[in-house]
Amino acid sequence: MQLVVARIGRAHGIKGEVTVEVRTDEPELRLGPGAVLTTDPASVGPLTIETGRVHSGRLLLRFEGVRDRSGAEALRNTLLIADVDPDERPEGDDEYYDHQLIDLDVVTKDGAEVGRITEISHLPSQDLFVIERPDGTEVYVPFVEEIVTEIDLEEQRAVIDPPPGLIDDRAEIASSRDAGDEA
């Protein structure tokens, strides 16, 4: 299975280094020296990582055969893709690869069917499950411990405990303005 692990940004300096937008929780495993990565577009790769370092909080990589700024700039916006065993699990017990979560059935803690996960949206603040409901509509559920209480890969399901209003219209609206209207 192939997973996107990074996107190449702009060139850094004049010796062929590039900035990298990391898209994996395991950059030391996927983006270490000697790693051979396929690319999108495919015509750019495969690329072999020669060196890597962190500079000002940003990962910088240099690839074999890329020795100058123009060569590095030509790689801009290229996706780096790692081959991963489909049975491989992340190191943490509560960590999952997107492909493990896609198509899981989603139910509430009391067993009510919500739908199935069709996509994981990775946002800066948190990840979201995009869930397709039986009627074809979508609902977005934050992938946080307080809401997603269980992931059972054996049973192919995710159990959620959503607050009122997240997946239904039973939200109670409380406003301090309402109290002032009665006076």
Side-chain angles (χ1 to χ4, degrees):
M1 170 174 307
Q2 296 190 319
L3 297 176
V4 174
V5 293
R7 183 184 65 80
I8 297 174
R10 59 186 171 89
H12 178 83
I14 60 171
K15 296 183 179 178
E17 285 184 313
V18 295
T19 61
V20 177
E21 175 189 312
V22 177
R23 295 188 181 176
T24 177
D25 289 339
E26 303 167 315
E28 62 285 342
L29 175 67
R30 308 278 181 225
L31 300 170
V36 179
L37 303 166
T38 55
T39 60
D40 182 8
S43 60
V44 174
L47 294 173
T48 302
I49 297 174
E50 187 174 284
T51 63
R53 65 186 178 105
V54 176
H55 175 71
S56 298
R58 204 104 209 203
L59 180 62
L60 303 177
L61 296 179
R62 183 181 333 202
F63 299 100
E64 289 181 5
V66 179
R67 296 282 172 243
D68 58 20
R69 185 174 185 86
S70 61
E73 196 60 44
L75 298 174
R76 191 174 196 156
N77 292 321
T78 298
L79 296 178
L80 299 175
I81 303 166
D83 286 316
V84 177
D85 180 346
D87 295 326
E88 182 180 325
R89 291 277 318 257
E91 291 179 11
D93 289 338
D94 60 345
E95 296 177 0
Y96 304 92
Y97 292 128
D98 288 4
H99 72 271
Q100 294 174 303
L101 301 171
I102 300 295
D103 287 332
L104 291 185
D105 293 322
V106 180
V107 297
T108 61
K109 67 179 183 172
D110 58 3
E113 178 185 8
V114 178
R116 71 178 179 79
I117 300 171
T118 58
E119 182 182 340
I120 312 298
S121 181
H122 299 282
L123 303 175
S125 59
Q126 67 193 12
D127 296 336
L128 290 177
F129 286 163
V130 179
I131 300 171
E132 182 179 323
R133 301 179 75 137
D135 65 4
T137 60
E138 289 183 336
V139 63
Y140 301 96
V141 173
F143 187 19
V144 294
E145 190 175 340
E146 295 80 18
I147 297 174
V148 180
T149 59
E150 179 184 352
I151 299 289
D152 186 340
L153 296 178
E154 295 279 324
E155 295 292 322
Q156 287 290 290
R157 73 176 186 166
V159 179
I160 64 172
D161 184 12
L166 183 65
I167 61 171
D168 56 30
D169 58 0
R170 295 189 322 245
E172 293 182 25
I173 299 173
S175 171
S176 59
R177 286 186 280 170
D178 293 340
D181 290 341
E182 296 174 6

